[in-house]
Amino acid sequence: MKARVHVMLKNGVLDPQGEAVKHALGALGFQGVEGVRQGKVIELELADGTTEATVRDMCERLLANTVIESYTVELG
Amino acid sequence: MHAAVLVFPGSNCDRDLAVAFEKAGAKVSMVWHKDTGLPDGVDVVGVPGGFSYGDYLRCGAIAANSPICGALKEHVSRGGYALGICNGFQVLTETRLLPGALRRNAGLKYICRPVDLLVGTADSAFTAGYEAGQQITVPIAHHDGNYYADAETLQQLQAEDRIAFRYAENPNGSVGDIAGILSANRRVLGMMPHPERMAEPAHGGTDGAAMFRALLDQMVTA
């Protein structure tokens, strides 16, 4: 089975990379880009039967720094 | 004083830190990240700068979960001293031994130059050689030194006089111009600037040396 973890900076934590991407899109002539947030996707190959709770534990302990980042887990 | 300097794959300020401890008069042991214990009698653990594990995932995140960091946490919970510089500061926040986190610099650039710091408090073994408000010059060299803590944590750091150093001119977007902070028991210091790179005249300045001397004095009189 697979799990996909999305890690994003929490709302309210400045994302300088997202801001830079927003400016670059504006410079390319794209109108109306009002905000960009950049995160990361981590794909996990897991033994069948691994629970969502286990994946969330992985997120809490390593994959995300919950001081500044939030995460979501997609299974399957 | 017996200092242990941790060495991770990708550490590159470990020997500089060892030299700074030695010049101040300490005995130094280098400790590999796969070790599960510290040598007997270690007073202070130095977590050096560099790029542990290539900064993979997040700066300091993999190092924070290495075997030696289990021993570091035990050392700190027993009241031991620890000093994390640059990547070492990132490791200390990732282990949650210090609050907050270090984000990408606000200007997105890696910054490597001397900066002026204001000493926030002289009330710690690390900063007792300075006076509160004193300005010192120490280099920074980082891409992810933009300190973040939520408003509540920030207020607590201020109320408890735990902001060890502030930037005279904020180079990286850190909240409250914070360059270094202390733990609640004042025995763990994390800072982005490199005092070990300003510790003898050949470095172009010696403002960092007072930290290592003060630490040694504290250990000798303790």
Side-chain angles (χ1 to χ4, degrees):
Chain A
M1 64 177 282
K2 284 190 180 188
R4 183 175 286 197
V5 173
H6 296 254
V7 180
M8 296 294 294
L9 283 171
K10 284 180 179 171
N11 288 331
V13 176
L14 178 74
D15 175 8
Q17 293 183 95
E19 287 296 308
V21 171
K22 181 178 140 185
H23 287 299
L25 288 171
L28 285 171
F30 290 101
Q31 306 286 314
V33 179
E34 290 172 0
V36 176
R37 306 281 288 170
Q38 183 178 319
K40 58 187 119 175
V41 176
I42 300 166
E43 290 185 335
L44 305 165
E45 289 278 352
L46 300 167
D48 285 343
T50 306
T51 63
E52 182 175 340
T54 302
V55 180
R56 298 187 77 82
D57 193 29
M58 293 176 189
C59 292
E60 291 286 334
R61 290 171 62 185
L62 180 64
L63 301 180
N65 179 345
T66 54
V67 174
I68 49 172
E69 293 172 329
S70 60
Y71 62 86
T72 55
V73 174
E74 262 177 66
L75 289 182
Chain B
M1 179 173 82
H2 186 179
V5 174
L6 308 188
V7 185
F8 301 100
S11 294
N12 65 10
C13 302
D14 44 326
R15 282 176 290 177
D16 306 52
L17 184 54
V19 168
F21 276 128
E22 277 166 3
K23 292 252 173 187
K27 171 188 169 190
V28 179
S29 302
M30 306 304 278
V31 181
W32 185 233
H33 66 113
K34 284 189 175 167
D35 289 356
T36 51
L38 293 164
D40 287 340
V42 164
D43 301 296
V44 57
V45 176
V47 191
F51 301 85
S52 58
Y53 300 90
D55 281 347
Y56 295 162
L57 189 63
R58 293 181 308 278
C59 303
I62 310 284
N65 291 285
S66 63
I68 197 59
C69 279
L72 169 64
K73 287 181 203 168
E74 282 172 29
H75 167 80
V76 168
S77 70
R78 286 193 306 263
Y81 289 82
L83 168 62
I85 297 170
C86 199
N87 189 221
F89 185 14
Q90 295 161 341
V91 172
L92 292 177
T93 59
E94 283 284 345
T95 56
R96 307 290 166 90
L97 289 171
L98 289 173
L102 293 140
R103 302 167 296 180
R104 180 55 43 101
N105 291 344
L108 295 174
K109 288 200 172 75
Y110 180 89
I111 309 170
C112 183
R113 60 177 164 83
V115 296
D116 291 333
L117 301 178
L118 299 171
V119 177
T121 177
D123 180 17
S124 79
F126 306 96
T127 55
Y130 304 111
E131 288 183 20
Q134 185 181 342
Q135 184 166 314
I136 62 172
T137 304
V138 177
I140 55 169
H142 61 245
H143 205 165
D144 298 83
N146 180 350
Y147 182 73
Y148 173 83
D150 61 30
E152 192 184 335
T153 306
L154 205 56
Q155 201 173 18
Q156 190 180 8
L157 289 173
Q158 277 164 351
E160 295 175 1
D161 190 30
R162 287 165 55 190
I163 299 170
F165 299 102
R166 292 181 194 268
Y167 299 108
E169 285 179 50
N170 195 331
N172 56 22
S174 293
V175 295
D177 304 325
I178 288 175
I181 56 167
L182 293 159
S183 61
N185 73 358
R186 316 189 82 73
R187 291 185 171 199
V188 181
L189 169 67
M191 61 189 295
M192 289 310 297
H194 286 271
E196 83 283 15
R197 292 193 192 173
M198 208 54 119
E200 48 191 285
H203 291 158
T206 57
D207 283 355
M211 176 179 299
F212 298 97
R213 279 199 308 269
L215 201 51
L216 196 89
D217 288 348
Q218 184 82 15
M219 301 295 161
V220 170
T221 53

